[in-house]
Amino acid sequence: MSVRQALGISHRIGLQIIRSRWTIPYLILFPIFFIGLYWFGFSASPIGENQTFLLGIINQDEGLTDEIQLLFQNETLLGNGTLQEFHSTDVLSKGFGSEFVNILGNLTYNNQQNSSHIFEITEYSDEMQADSKLKNRELDIVLILPRQFSNASLGILNGYWRNSYGLYFHEYLQTFDASIPDLPINISEEVIIRGDESYLNYQIANSILGNILNAYLDLTSAFRGPGGSIQIAMNEEYQVSIPTFSLFGLSTPGLIAFGIIMQPSLISLFFCMEFRPKNTTFDIIRLSSSPTTYILGTFLIQIPVMIGQAFILFTSSLLMGFQPNGDIILAYLIALTILPFSASLLYFTTAIFSNEDVVGTILGFGGPFLGFMSGAFIEVPKIILFKEIIPTASGFPRDFLIWDLIPLTHTVSALRQVMLYDFTLIQVLPDILLSFVLSLGFFCCSLLFFAYFRFWRSSQ
Amino acid sequence: MKKIIEVKALKKVFGKGERQVNAVKGISFDIYEGEIFGFLGPNGAGKTTSLRMIVGLLRPDSGEVKILGENPHKSGNKLKEILGIIPQNPTFYEDLTVEENLWFLAKIYNIPKMIAKERINSLISRIGLEEKKKAITKDLSGGQKRRLNLILALVHDPKIILCDEPTPGLDPQSRIVVWEFIRNLPKQGKTVILTTHYMEEADRLSNRVAIIDNGEILVLDTPENLKTSIGEGDLVEIEVSHLGDTEIESLPGYLLALDPPLHLEEVSTSQSVCTIRALDVVPKLTRILASIENQGFSVNNLSIRGTTLEDVFINLTGRRLRS
Ligand SMILES: Nc1ncnc2c1ncn2[C@@H]1O[C@H](COP(=O)(O)OP(=O)(O)OP(=O)(O)O)[C@@H](O)[C@H]1O
Ligand SMILES: [Mg+2]
């Protein structure tokens, strides 16, 4: 095998693609048309609006230590007004955690006339119990507030104080009374969000909750201390923007994936030409090259074509007004790397079996079919192969569904999570890895099949 | 002479039951370095099937092929560079230009760029396609496609060239270009296997010819030996029409029994044609024609020619090469 040989094959297919009259309609116009159609039909239908999500909370917050609670009773400081505001809230006795739960419970969709609650909250003391509710979809999402939630919140305040005034809050207080103890600094504690990542309600609730947590951090750090006093007035200042979703928005990642999936079917046309019974070009290949070289060559041209296509689709959907809630760069990266990689596997499947026009056409449609099955457009039925084995960032393992065998499923899901729900790279890493490993696995299998069917068996 | 290809008892059956075709029924022969070996046979004789088995594209049911001592089905890449196959159907990518197709082969055979460039240019000019260098091959004429097909197999400069029916559909001029081209290959140290159903092509190009029919080699020899094997002399074909009651079948007996004898080697008839083979036939013509007319026939047409491989084929099978 040599790279030059493979590149020779890539070059040839590249020329064929450029010269084929199918290229532009098939690779570019049709997918864009499809996205446009969706946009036209569905961009105005919001979903998840005014929906109340079932939120389970496990509040493990241990509150503030007695020592700190006592500090806020300090007569001197109350006397000069420094701690007045703080003293008057429930935060002191109940802790930041339960205050946060209150806030969540009171949040309403106030952008509409009716002001329905965003969350219906049930508190649990037992994680197992909450998890089993999640599994039965009696809960959409579960939030776990850690033991140190209050201390960590105070630590954030403390840090902000120092950033603004050059002193930690306790250092400031200690100028009045040297006996005042230190307040927490830099406590890192994780707030855990759990749910079934394949469940639409979870996905939406998760992104709302993510926004709220971000706002909470902003809020705690946006403490101002005019005249040296602390204000903690979460209820009033809590302005959370609720992300909106339209069917178009929800479908866009799938549509992009779909557009890219179309490409293997085009390539399968070229393959069918090569494998037509009366066509002998493949004899030349068999006489001169090896299966590995051939596949490498086709792969090398496949990838740039798909990347170009992903770019066009992604950009055109942005231009049509698709607003990703998440990190566009990360979404681009996924769309441009792992998606083409996993989609190209379809093409090899096609390559192995297509030897007549009819078969090729059927397999050409097989690509879009797999696209559907990967959940690109629709929520696929839950056919479980293995229970709870896919790790997720939330720590709540996901079931391995039959569709999870398709690498594209994971790519589409990663793309959707990044584009719609603002997941980070770490959060979608399991999906990306799965997609990669599955694609690679399929690639190796198809290589074997290809060598067998096309190089070995055809000489029978 | 060095044996370059050995074929032993090669056999291939396609299909099963009613559809079974015994395409090749155990053929054996050797091919020597530097010769042009012709496979002459009618459609469906098994020529293409044999070639495909020889190069390793098709697995024989039984029998053995050795090319330079190697089995082409097991040799991996070793033989790939040595073999060049010119398929029966023009085989290239229709949406690429003439040049691009040639370059594609240069790349997959890993020919260094400089060498490839020179070779491609020389091949294009030798086969007379300079003007079509940049043409998309889809737009070439049938004959131009055949010519391109021929040089595609030579880009990697193979030692052995297997050429499956190079000339159907060519005009006489192009045919001569192609014949010249093939005839020159041994001068460049190449060995050629050629299949054809044109007896003239086999006759003119081949050093040795195997006549194949129904998957079997009927005879294998030089064209000269094959032709003399069925008898010496030239052939006269006389087309007659029938006036009296005498049957045309009686003519051979009558002509052979003439006194004084005409010394005819062989006389046969089929339908309205009487074929006579004889040495030094021209002086005998007057008497032959007079005798035929005596028998109540009138002569419509007459031609004299040398023996061809077609006659050899007819002699062997009772059928013509092209029906
Ligand atoms: N793949 C196949 N499947 C079934 N039968 C086949 C196959 N290839 C060839 N045959 C049959 O084998 C016989 C020999 O075919 P082959 O192509 O070798 O003939 P040929 O001598 O090359 O004829 P032509 O001059 O027409 O090219 C034919 O009867 C043909 O129908
Ligand atoms: Mg043939």
Side-chain angles (χ1 to χ4, degrees), chain B residues 231-249:
Chain B
E232 311 256 326
D234 295 326
L235 285 173
V236 185
E237 282 171 338
I238 303 166
E239 198 189 318
V240 296
S241 59
H242 197 238
L243 295 177
D245 325 317
T246 332
E247 295 290 326
I248 188 167
E249 282 76 22

Side-chain angles (χ1 to χ4, degrees), chain A residues 5 19 274 280 283 459, chain B residues 52 57 59 91 93 100 108:
Chain A
Q5 284 172 296
R19 299 206 179 127
E274 188 123 278
T280 36
D283 282 349
S459 69
Chain B
R52 289 171 63 80
L57 280 174
R59 215 167 280 266
T91 296
Y93 297 97
E100 284 163 352
I108 59 171

Side-chain angles (χ1 to χ4, degrees), chain A residues 2 4-5 8-9 11-12 15-16 19 274 280-281 283-289 456 459-460, chain B residues 12 52 57-59 80 85 89 91-93 95-97 100 104-105 107-111 136:
Chain A
S2 103
R4 182 157 179 260
Q5 284 172 296
I9 289 167
H11 183 231
R12 185 209 90 212
L15 288 172
Q16 287 183 302
R19 299 206 179 127
E274 188 123 278
T280 36
T281 51
D283 282 349
I284 304 286
I285 306 277
R286 283 170 58 204
L287 282 175
S288 56
S289 127
W456 191 77
S459 69
Q460 289 300 288
Chain B
K12 185 77 197 178
R52 289 171 63 80
L57 280 174
L58 191 66
R59 215 167 280 266
K80 285 185 174 171
I85 180 161
N89 304 314
T91 296
F92 39 75
Y93 297 97
D95 28 19
L96 266 55
T97 66
E100 284 163 352
F104 170 63
L105 282 163
K107 282 182 196 158
I108 59 171
Y109 277 105
N110 225 343
I111 313 295
I136 301 280

Side-chain angles (χ1 to χ4, degrees), chain B residues 109-135:
Chain B
Y109 277 105
N110 225 343
I111 313 295
K113 212 169 177 172
M114 293 307 292
I115 299 179
K117 193 172 176 184
E118 205 182 297
R119 207 177 279 159
I120 287 173
N121 285 336
S122 122
L123 284 170
I124 288 180
S125 77
R126 268 161 63 200
I127 205 73
L129 282 176
E130 286 105 327
E131 285 174 13
K132 294 288 170 185
K133 232 170 151 170
K134 303 244 184 281

Side-chain angles (χ1 to χ4, degrees), chain A residues 411-422:
Chain A
T411 333
V412 170
S413 137
L415 197 61
R416 181 177 284 145
Q417 287 169 343
V418 168
M419 284 165 81
L420 298 180
Y421 314 124
D422 196 17

Side-chain angles (χ1 to χ4, degrees), chain B residues 14-15 21 23-24 41-50 88 164-165 197:
Chain B
F14 289 113
V21 180
V24 176
N43 291 140
K47 304 181 294 287
T48 302
T49 308
S50 306
Q88 183 165 5
D164 200 356
E165 312 235 5
H197 55 254

Side-chain angles (χ1 to χ4, degrees), chain B residues 152-170:
Chain B
L152 281 168
L154 296 167
V155 174
H156 63 291
D157 200 27
K159 257 175 100 83
I160 304 171
I161 293 152
L162 299 103
C163 184
D164 200 356
E165 312 235 5
T167 58
L170 291 187

